[in-house]
Amino acid sequence: MSTSYPNRPARGGRLPALAAVTALLVGLAIVFAFFVAPEDADQGISQRIFYFHVPIALTAYACFGWAAFKALLLLWRKEERYDLESYVAVHQGTIFGALTLATGSIWAKASWGHWWLWSENQLVLFLVLFLFYSAYFMLRFSIEEGPRRANISAVYALFGVVLVPVSFLAIRLAENVIHPTVFTRDGPQMTGTMFLAFCVAWVAITLLAYTLYRVELAGKRLDANLRELREALTT
Amino acid sequence: MPLGPRGELFRAVPESGLVVIRARALERRFGRKRALRPVDLAVERGQFAVVTGPNGSGKTTLLRLVGGLLAPTRGELEVDVDRGRLGFVGHEALVYRDLTALENLDLYGRLYRVPERRERIGRLLERFDLWDARHERAGTFSRGMLQRLALCRGLLHEPDLLVLDEPFTALDADGAALLDRQLAELAGAVTVLLSTHDPVRVERLATTRLVLG
Amino acid sequence: MSSGEKYVAAAYGVVFLVVLAYVVIIAAKLARLERETAELAELARARSAPSTSNG
Amino acid sequence: MTYFADVAALARKDLRLELRARDTLPAMLLFVVSTLVVFHFALPADAGELAAQGLLWLALVFTALLGLARAWAPERESGALDGLVLAPCDRSAIWLGKALATFVFLGVISAVALPAFAVFFAPVSWETVAGVALANAGICAVGTLLAAMAAASRTRELVLPLLFLPLAIPLVVGGVGASISDDPGRFLAFLGLYDGVFALLCWASFEYVVSE
């Protein structure tokens, strides 16, 4: 295990600038979603939830992917800082996963009158992933801090990323046999401006996730540094 | 013998010979608790290093680090021994309770690629006075017999480096004498890192001493 | 507000609330960190100049 | 060639331990049969065969969980895992040996559970048997590694089901699908894919679970 300190800020501190740009973009995304994009022909206003729901889902996938990437780096390079980065990425992914479930179920209620639809593959997949990654925290907090916990958390994060396509396939297979679909939903046809609103929202939400990731990482590193300082001063 | 910054004894940079174990400011933490304060150590091939210190000073942690069972939290550790060429005898015998002594050693013999496995197991069991109990389950062994079985397991594959964590515990008089003879035989040929509460017993053999604070 | 509008408001509201909750948690952590650094600074001062501190 | 010799030695060790101690296998056999009986009473009278098929898979998954909780018990009680980790053999052999032994145990359990199911509920098709075999392989591959993770945690029996169930969902989908769908081939192929993908991942990552 190399001895690079885990608490050196990896890259420069342009966090405030990042946060400002994110806030601006999120505001822009809302403006686009509500005022620029035309109302959807058949779904009406409830279609506007789509502009946040799908980008949040895509961002959750990105967080889980990022966590697996950092986990791979930890196992390969054995540098302590990747453990913290992988953990924070999983934490972000779980938050956005929960948001996906929340906004998704509100959208389902608005469009089809049911809070939960087993036929909605995306939602079911996120439910499975949410259960999986919640277990990540149960596992992580039940092992004593150290190289062993870092390795095990990393391996589990790798399993998560493999589980995504496998579960998606399973849910699709289950769809027409075990749970015949009740509501068919063809992909939302998007006009030019709708697609633009979607893209702005996607960039905004991704940046939001990255900002929160950097904020939480900074917080966790501060914690670690302070703990070391306290130890140095009190022993 | 120069004294280390924290008063522990270690050899200066060894002139000749190959360094088998080198630790620089080696530290290990379990969660918030620091189990091993920064330690420097250098042991050459064929040397007999003795680690002493009160309970909780980190002797076991240091030996498990050298054994490769733990990774350092801070500092560096190089152990120039291939995996499988190291014999580790700790507080636990690392043998299956429901397997007989013979079955345990046979399993380890296969995994450690020991040539002429049966003969070597037979000789070791005899030397450690366990031959008559070879078909009995390890679970029925007394602590002393388990410790002797663990020593057989540790020596089975003729290791280049032998790590012994307080090996004399639970051994009765003739068990300890038996271990003394065994260590005397090995000294010089095999590099040994041994932790103990009563250094006098191995004083004659020791070439390097490390006192943990 | 039609039922559709209620749901849209609810969806965006949930997102806003979660982000807000996140900011609140980070703010609380910041406050705790501030307190801890103050404590440590105190400790450091006490350690570096023991004679003057209790004079 | 020594890799498979190591795996064989490790698997034999587990089988011998189980024959000696005889504590896990009988418990699992009794558990699966009593679970099926409980399910009978849990099913409403007019529940069709479909529901029953689903319950078979539920019984198999939870029985496997019981077995997996005990998978690393001998190593944990004796600390012998340290001895195995220090051996020159590839550490994935430790996983494969344990997975094979667990597969044999699950095979014995299934050999009792399937006939019992046929007697209690509904006849068992060949596709179901194939599905059970493939699912058991997946359960052993993934479950053995998760059990090793759980073994390193303080709340072992508590955390293992949480780790295992999400990963078992695709297996249940594949298994139930193979039992009741009119095109079981697709589901059996999916189970095969699951086994292949996760066995490879377990094989590559097991080392990091048991060593530092």
Side-chain angles (χ1 to χ4, degrees):
Chain A
M1 183 73 92
S2 96
T3 58
S4 79
Y5 289 93
N7 316 319
R8 199 179 9 66
R11 285 170 304 284
R14 4 173 201 69
L15 196 49
L18 179 66
V21 167
T22 307
L24 192 71
L25 268 175
V26 168
L28 198 63
I30 292 177
V31 165
F32 267 79
F34 282 92
F35 307 109
V36 172
E39 188 138 319
D40 182 79
D42 53 19
Q43 281 193 19
I45 187 164
S46 60
Q47 186 268 347
R48 293 191 190 279
I49 299 176
F50 158 85
Y51 293 115
F52 259 35
H53 167 63
V54 177
I56 288 176
L58 296 174
T59 306
Y61 285 137
C63 291
F64 294 142
W66 184 258
F69 170 63
K70 291 292 180 179
L72 212 57
L73 284 178
L74 174 84
L75 297 178
W76 180 36
R77 293 234 198 91
K78 290 202 184 311
E79 266 178 54
E80 213 178 320
R81 66 188 183 89
Y82 293 127
D83 172 48
L84 203 57
E85 288 164 11
S86 176
Y87 162 60
V88 171
V90 168
H91 188 225
Q92 290 304 327
T94 311
I95 293 174
F96 279 82
L99 269 179
T100 308
L101 287 173
T103 52
S105 101
I106 294 174
W107 186 11
K109 178 69 177 171
S111 302
W112 299 294
H114 295 277
W115 287 108
W116 181 254
L117 284 173
W118 284 104
S119 60
E120 186 52 42
N121 290 0
Q122 273 292 339
L123 276 183
V124 174
L125 177 56
F126 263 94
L127 183 58
V128 172
L129 290 179
F130 185 73
L131 293 176
F132 177 85
Y133 279 104
S134 304
Y136 173 92
F137 298 102
M138 300 295 291
L139 176 63
R140 189 178 174 90
F141 298 144
S142 72
I143 302 176
E144 195 174 49
E145 192 181 339
R148 174 64 67 84
R149 181 178 79 166
N151 281 352
I152 288 181
S153 306
V155 170
Y156 193 80
L158 290 178
F159 270 72
V161 120
V162 174
L163 183 64
V164 170
V166 169
S167 294
F168 189 75
L169 195 56
I171 294 164
R172 183 176 291 278
L173 277 174
E175 197 176 29
N176 36 41
V177 169
I178 303 165
H179 313 285
T181 53
V182 173
F183 303 92
T184 54
R185 179 185 67 82
D186 41 21
Q189 283 70 25
M190 284 195 283
T191 63
T193 43
M194 278 186 178
F195 184 67
L196 182 63
F198 168 75
C199 291
V200 172
W202 188 1
V203 172
I205 301 285
T206 308
L207 266 182
L208 175 65
Y210 185 59
T211 309
L212 296 182
Y213 167 79
R214 288 283 305 279
V215 166
E216 186 173 344
L217 207 52
K220 290 264 179 337
R221 286 194 177 130
L222 263 172
D223 267 333
N225 284 345
L226 272 177
R227 206 168 1 123
E228 246 172 82
L229 260 175
R230 178 182 300 282
E231 203 165 280
L233 284 173
T234 47
T235 49
Chain B
M1 250 356 151
L3 286 176
R6 267 164 296 284
E8 77 279 20
L9 212 58
F10 72 103
R11 294 184 58 109
V13 176
E15 318 75 19
S16 68
L18 179 69
V19 172
V20 174
I21 307 171
R22 179 184 298 284
R24 285 194 201 86
L26 178 63
E27 213 184 305
R28 170 70 199 211
R29 202 186 289 275
F30 288 103
R32 294 279 159 70
K33 196 174 65 59
R34 180 159 57 173
L36 182 68
R37 306 168 72 86
V39 153
D40 294 292
L41 175 65
V43 178
E44 281 171 58
R45 176 167 306 291
Q47 280 198 315
F48 196 107
V50 174
V51 180
T52 53
N55 285 339
S57 56
K59 297 197 296 295
T60 298
T61 307
L62 174 62
L63 266 64
R64 287 176 72 85
L65 279 163
V66 171
L69 295 169
L70 294 174
T73 309
R74 200 155 305 231
E76 266 131 42
L77 173 64
E78 290 139 33
V79 179
D80 184 13
V81 166
D82 304 338
R83 181 146 58 90
R85 300 303 311 143
L86 180 140
F88 185 87
V89 178
H91 294 308
E92 288 179 307
L94 308 186
V95 290
Y96 290 95
R97 298 282 179 275
D98 286 328
L99 292 183
T100 67
L102 211 56
E103 286 162 347
N104 271 300
L105 292 180
D106 183 68
L107 174 67
Y108 277 109
R110 290 171 192 275
L111 295 178
Y112 277 80
R113 320 274 189 263
V114 174
E116 303 120 17
R117 192 173 55 245
R118 279 190 176 59
E119 297 74 21
R120 186 150 174 76
I121 289 177
R123 271 205 311 281
L124 274 170
L125 284 174
E126 264 157 36
R127 181 179 307 172
F128 280 93
D129 198 5
L130 286 172
W131 177 256
D132 339 329
R134 64 189 183 288
H135 291 307
E136 279 161 37
R137 291 191 199 183
T140 63
F141 280 21
S142 69
R143 266 178 57 79
M145 289 166 74
L146 266 178
Q147 181 67 5
R148 291 210 292 262
L149 183 57
L151 287 165
C152 294
R153 177 187 54 74
L155 295 164
L156 184 57
H157 51 302
E158 294 175 65
D160 300 335
L161 167 62
L162 195 55
V163 177
L164 304 171
D165 193 355
E166 290 169 12
F168 291 96
T169 47
L171 285 181
D172 52 22
D174 50 9
L178 199 137
L179 180 55
D180 282 335
R181 279 198 306 280
Q182 185 64 44
L183 290 177
E185 216 175 278
L186 289 173
V190 175
T191 315
V192 174
L193 178 65
L194 181 146
S195 80
T196 181
H197 274 304
D198 108 46
V200 173
R201 180 162 207 116
V202 286
E203 192 46 43
R204 230 174 357 81
L205 299 168
T207 60
T208 315
R209 289 161 201 78
L210 172 63
V211 180
L212 292 183
Chain C
M1 257 200 342
S2 75
S3 78
E5 281 151 3
K6 269 213 304 305
Y7 289 124
V8 172
Y12 281 82
V14 161
V15 174
F16 178 72
L17 279 177
V18 166
V19 173
L20 195 62
Y22 197 89
V23 170
V24 166
I25 291 168
I26 292 291
K29 177 189 265 282
L30 216 57
R32 181 171 57 78
L33 288 176
E34 217 177 338
R35 213 174 42 263
E36 272 183 34
T37 36
E39 255 171 56
L40 287 182
E42 193 54 44
L43 258 171
R45 266 194 298 281
R47 193 201 250 287
S48 63
S51 56
T52 54
S53 69
N54 47 32
Chain D
M1 241 329 272
T2 53
Y3 182 77
F4 293 106
D6 297 332
V7 170
L10 288 162
R12 244 199 335 273
K13 168 262 297 180
D14 279 311
L15 296 178
R16 183 174 290 150
L17 279 176
E18 182 48 36
L19 293 181
R20 289 269 168 78
R22 277 194 304 280
D23 48 15
T24 313
L25 207 54
M28 287 169 73
L29 282 172
L30 202 56
F31 181 85
V32 74
V33 175
S34 38
T35 312
L36 288 177
V37 171
V38 166
F39 283 164
H40 164 73
F41 295 106
L43 274 179
D46 55 4
E49 268 189 28
L50 292 187
Q53 293 286 351
L55 292 182
L56 167 67
W57 286 95
L58 215 54
L60 287 174
V61 164
F62 284 102
T63 308
L65 255 179
L66 205 66
L68 288 173
R70 292 285 306 163
W72 297 99
E75 279 73 22
R76 212 177 38 253
E77 278 145 19
S78 61
L81 193 57
D82 286 348
L84 301 181
V85 163
L86 285 181
C89 65
D90 190 315
R91 280 152 182 175
S92 60
I94 304 171
W95 162 75
L96 192 51
K98 183 68 74 172
L100 285 179
T102 313
F103 185 72
V104 168
F105 295 152
L106 283 186
V108 170
I109 303 293
S110 311
V112 169
L114 288 175
F117 179 83
V119 167
F120 290 155
F121 294 97
V124 166
S125 65
W126 280 110
E127 288 78 10
T128 305
V129 174
V132 165
L134 282 169
N136 280 348
I139 288 172
C140 292
V142 175
T144 311
L145 184 131
L146 294 179
M149 286 184 172
S153 93
R154 288 190 307 276
T155 58
R156 272 181 295 284
E157 289 70 25
L158 208 60
V159 84
L160 180 58
L162 303 178
L163 301 176
F164 178 72
L165 289 174
L167 281 159
I169 289 173
L171 285 174
V172 170
V173 167
V176 171
S179 309
I180 59 174
S181 106
D182 41 24
D183 169 15
R186 223 146 39 101
F187 288 92
L188 293 176
F190 170 71
L191 283 176
L193 172 78
Y194 181 100
D195 293 350
V197 166
F198 276 105
L200 194 64
L201 182 58
C202 293
W203 174 80
S205 61
F206 183 76
E207 158 146 28
Y208 300 103
V209 173
V210 287
S211 63
E212 293 196 345

